[in-house]
């Protein structure tokens, strides 16, 4: 089984004390030591999926694995992923700065996004980010202007909308025609002409697309590759230029609940490689370098969140709510996308009797702050530690301070050792940016 087809980190076991353990660390002990809510990242699971991806694509000679930082961007996780040979897809000054500070080779970084600011593009140029994926006409002109002022040449890709519909949540579909991301196929020629004739500090290397997220289909990756190769071949001919890079984005799904059946990296790899080889022959182009940039499927499974159970409420003839000490501020996905999760009680993972159907409520002041609806748990009580699985992606990265609650800490577990990789926010952190103007009374 592939790592992204597991709900739990691959090192998850029940130990001799009867507690859940990840990376050799007893989760009850972790909760005691570091407090809750607590994000936990398993080093072995993270490295295992990175290696799976690399092996899956190894038979194609020119491939560069990238990691989409927006799924989770911290110094430690960036350093781990970089050490597995990955480059990085970044979408803000904050992500650029984080990977830079983590020691990432900046030539392997791609800056992507539909509304990059002047300052962000300037920072990218100052830190020698390897590629900029230009999203629209406004950005082409802005970037050229910045490049001119810094007397630099900039290596770019064009982000395109390939016109592929995938079956995922509407908010995480990006490749369909009426999308806010990228150039429409009918606009690329104008963009290339502008680059050739006017924006001479920009050098185009290829095309970039991303069709969506939490994708369970494999065939659409084949269709996407075909479109990218076809367009490259057409542009090379028409404009007498060399385009030798295609970036197919990310999007592979993970298994949040038992009914989710995502394909594995090698399923996507075999479709992509097969379609690439036939398209290269059909359109008669040289072997391009292919970039794949998964986010969720790299980091999701290695992460879990630990919560302490507090109050409970049985609505007469209705739902039993069990409340935890976190919720929508540390995991926005259930309230934003109706996302589903699997959980277990860490200190009694194996108990099969006394099962109760409950709804896990967050502690935030919104009725919609529900983490899991209708889950069966063995007599959940105050003081129990709840482990929600598959929270590595789009949890911490979307976390907020709603209700003026401090963001949780994050620990890395490996070989029975645990290390803090993000400190828990303090009350002082919360007010550290606040200012009371003089003379306010
Ligand atoms: C979000 C995004 C990704 C990663 O998507 P996942 O579903 O997390 O794999 C990759 N490329 C681009 C351009 C993105 O916007």
């Amino acid at each position: 089984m592939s790592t992204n087809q597991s709900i739990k980190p691959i090192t998850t076991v029940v130990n001799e004390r009867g507690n859940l353990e990840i990376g050799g660390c007893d989760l009850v002990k972790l909760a005691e030591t570091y407090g809750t809510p607590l994000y936990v990242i398993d080093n072995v699971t993270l490295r295992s999926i990175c290696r799976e991806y690399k092996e899956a694509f190894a038979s194609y000679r020119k491939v560069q694995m990238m990691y989409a930082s927006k799924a989770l961007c911290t110094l430690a996780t960036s350093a781990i992923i970089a050490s597995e040979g990955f480059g990085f897809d970044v979408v803000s000054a904050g992500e650029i700065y984080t990977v830079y500070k983590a020691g990432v080779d900046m030539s392997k970084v791609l800056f992507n996004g539909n509304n990059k600011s002047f300052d962000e593009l300037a920072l990218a140029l100052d830190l020698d980010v390897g590629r900029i994926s230009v999203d629209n006409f406004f950005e082409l002109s802005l970037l050229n202007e910045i490049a001119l002022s810094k007397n630099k040449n900039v290596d770019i890709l064009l982000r395109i909308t390939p016109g592929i519909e995938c079956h995922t949540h509407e908010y995480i579909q990006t490749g369909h025609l009426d999308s806010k991301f990228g150039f429409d196929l009918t606009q690329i020629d104008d963009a290339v002409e502008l680059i050739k004739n006017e924006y001479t500090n920009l050098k185009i290397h290829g095309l970039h697309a991303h069709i969506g997220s939490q994708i369970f289909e494999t065939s659409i990756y084949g269709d996407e590759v075909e479109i990218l190769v076809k367009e490259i071949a057409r542009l090379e001919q028409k404009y007498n230029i060399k385009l030798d890079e295609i970036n197919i984005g990310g999007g592979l799904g993970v298994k949040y609940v038992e009914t989710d059946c995502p394909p594995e990296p090698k399923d996507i790899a075999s479709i992509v490689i097969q379609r690439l080889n036939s398209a290269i022959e059909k359109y008669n182009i040289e072997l391009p370098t292919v970039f794949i940039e998964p986010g969720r499927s790299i980091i999701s499974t290695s992460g879990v969140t630990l919560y302490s159970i507090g109050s409970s409420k049985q609505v007469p003839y209705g739902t039993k709510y069990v409340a935890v000490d976190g919720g929508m501020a540390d995991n926005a996905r259930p309230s934003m996308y109706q996302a589903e999760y699997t959980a277990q009680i860490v200190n009694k993972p194996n108990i099969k009797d006394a099962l109760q159907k409950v709804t896990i409520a967050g502690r935030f002041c919104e009725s919609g702050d529900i983490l899991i609806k209708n889950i069966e748990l063995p007599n959940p009580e105050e003081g129990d530690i709840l482990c929600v699985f598959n929270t590595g992606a789009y949890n911490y990265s979307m976390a907020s301070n709603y209700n003026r609650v401090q963001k949780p800490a994050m620990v890395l577990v490996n070989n029975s050792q645990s290390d803090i990789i993000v400190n828990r926010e303090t009350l002082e952190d919360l007010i550290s940016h606040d200012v009371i103007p003089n003379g306010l009374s």
Side-chain angles (χ1 to χ4, degrees):
M1 187 175 67
S2 161
T3 305
N4 72 309
Q5 295 173 325
S6 169
I7 291 180
K8 303 175 188 180
I10 59 177
T11 61
T12 309
V13 292
V14 176
N15 65 19
E16 70 283 357
R17 285 184 293 274
N19 294 338
L20 268 188
E21 184 173 296
I22 294 174
C25 296
D26 187 313
L27 298 185
V28 176
K29 285 250 172 65
L30 288 185
E32 278 168 14
T33 307
Y34 301 102
T36 55
L38 182 69
Y39 295 113
V40 180
I41 299 284
D42 180 36
N43 177 65
V44 167
T45 304
L46 176 53
R47 289 188 186 274
S48 146
I49 188 74
C50 289
R51 288 167 195 178
E52 258 184 60
Y53 264 108
K54 278 189 298 182
E55 277 162 31
F57 283 93
S59 72
Y60 186 79
R61 271 193 298 118
K62 293 184 179 173
V63 68
Q64 174 62 51
M65 287 306 309
M66 308 282 279
Y67 165 67
S69 297
K70 70 175 192 274
L72 175 69
C73 186
T74 71
L75 291 175
T77 49
S78 302
I80 292 172
I81 294 166
S83 77
E84 293 294 333
F86 278 54
F88 290 78
D89 166 276
V90 295
V91 292
S92 66
E95 289 186 359
I96 292 173
Y97 191 66
T98 305
V99 298
Y100 173 72
K101 284 290 191 177
V104 166
D105 172 358
M106 297 308 279
S107 72
K108 292 207 291 194
V109 174
L110 170 78
F111 186 20
N112 168 56
N114 71 313
N115 192 22
K116 309 173 188 80
S117 72
F118 181 98
D119 289 351
E120 288 176 316
L121 290 167
L123 178 71
L125 265 54
D126 290 343
L127 295 183
D128 293 318
V129 163
R131 292 284 182 277
I132 312 250
S133 178
V134 178
D135 190 274
N136 51 64
F137 290 109
F138 170 75
E139 187 185 338
L140 272 180
S141 136
L142 178 64
L143 182 61
N144 191 63
E145 189 186 307
I146 300 170
L148 262 174
S149 74
K150 293 185 183 289
N151 201 16
K152 282 196 167 188
N153 290 313
V154 185
D155 297 309
I156 67 167
L157 303 178
L158 289 184
R159 170 78 183 263
I160 63 156
T161 310
I164 293 171
E165 303 256 355
C166 60
H167 301 108
T168 185
H169 193 288
E170 185 190 348
Y171 292 176
I172 51 181
Q173 261 185 8
T174 55
H176 57 298
L177 283 175
D178 202 9
S179 167
K180 77 166 185 175
F181 294 106
F183 291 93
D184 191 85
L185 288 179
T186 59
Q187 298 173 319
I188 335 177
D189 291 42
D190 288 347
V192 172
E193 268 169 43
L194 282 167
I195 295 163
K196 245 192 121 183
N197 303 326
E198 253 179 79
Y199 301 142
T200 47
N201 286 51
L202 308 184
K203 178 167 177 12
I204 178 172
H205 290 265
L207 300 178
H208 177 206
H210 170 69
I211 45 185
S213 204
Q214 187 60 1
I215 294 173
F216 286 1
E217 300 158 271
T218 51
S219 61
I220 54 174
Y221 285 99
D223 300 341
E224 183 193 12
V225 163
E226 175 98 18
I227 291 169
L228 286 167
V229 170
K230 183 178 167 193
E231 286 302 315
I232 278 183
R234 193 181 61 74
L235 294 168
E236 283 191 329
Q237 275 241 317
K238 181 167 173 188
Y239 296 105
N240 191 26
I241 49 174
K242 181 105 212 71
L243 298 178
D244 53 9
E245 295 181 5
I246 66 173
N247 183 321
I248 65 170
L252 174 61
V254 299
K255 189 179 180 82
Y256 287 108
V257 291
E258 281 302 334
T259 48
D260 289 337
C261 297
E264 52 186 299
K266 74 170 156 46
D267 299 329
I268 288 179
S270 71
I271 288 248
V272 165
I273 295 169
Q274 199 185 323
R275 284 292 279 278
L276 256 176
N277 287 330
S278 63
I280 287 165
E281 207 169 301
K282 180 168 161 196
Y283 298 106
N284 193 24
I285 62 163
E286 271 176 46
L287 204 69
T289 301
V290 175
F291 297 78
I292 303 108
E293 49 184 21
R296 185 192 312 274
S297 55
I298 294 291
I299 197 70
S300 182
T301 317
S302 63
V304 304
T305 308
L306 304 182
Y307 300 99
S308 296
I309 291 178
S311 66
S312 299
K313 169 185 174 175
Q314 174 69 61
V315 177
Y317 308 106
T319 303
K320 177 162 183 185
Y321 289 99
V322 172
V324 294
D325 54 356
M328 64 188 289
D330 59 77
N331 183 358
R333 296 188 65 259
S335 48
M336 197 149 87
Y337 306 128
Q338 301 87 43
E340 295 183 299
Y341 282 92
T342 304
Q344 265 181 307
I345 295 180
V346 162
N347 45 301
K348 42 190 176 190
N350 273 350
I351 297 177
K352 295 276 183 285
D353 46 4
L355 285 179
Q356 295 178 13
K357 193 177 263 189
V358 301
T359 285
I360 307 295
R363 50 92 27 102
F364 296 92
C365 299
E366 294 273 337
S367 298
D369 179 25
I370 299 293
L371 282 179
I372 305 179
K373 277 188 187 146
N374 296 328
I375 178 175
E376 289 207 318
L377 291 173
N379 186 29
E381 300 168 286
E382 186 269 325
D384 284 345
I385 305 296
L386 187 76
C387 176
V388 178
F389 296 102
N390 245 305
T391 60
Y394 304 110
N395 273 231
Y396 179 66
S397 68
M398 289 183 166
S400 76
N401 290 116
Y402 184 48
N403 289 179
R404 206 71 161 170
V405 171
Q406 306 99 294
K407 285 184 198 155
M410 189 179 299
V411 297
L412 181 74
V413 293
N414 187 37
N415 263 331
S416 307
Q417 191 184 321
S418 62
D419 291 291
I420 279 278
I421 57 172
V422 178
N423 283 307
R424 185 175 302 281
E425 282 185 341
T426 63
L427 293 174
E428 280 307 315
D429 289 333
L430 288 177
I431 59 164
S432 66
H433 298 283
D434 288 18
V435 178
I436 299 180
N438 282 334
L440 198 73
S441 57

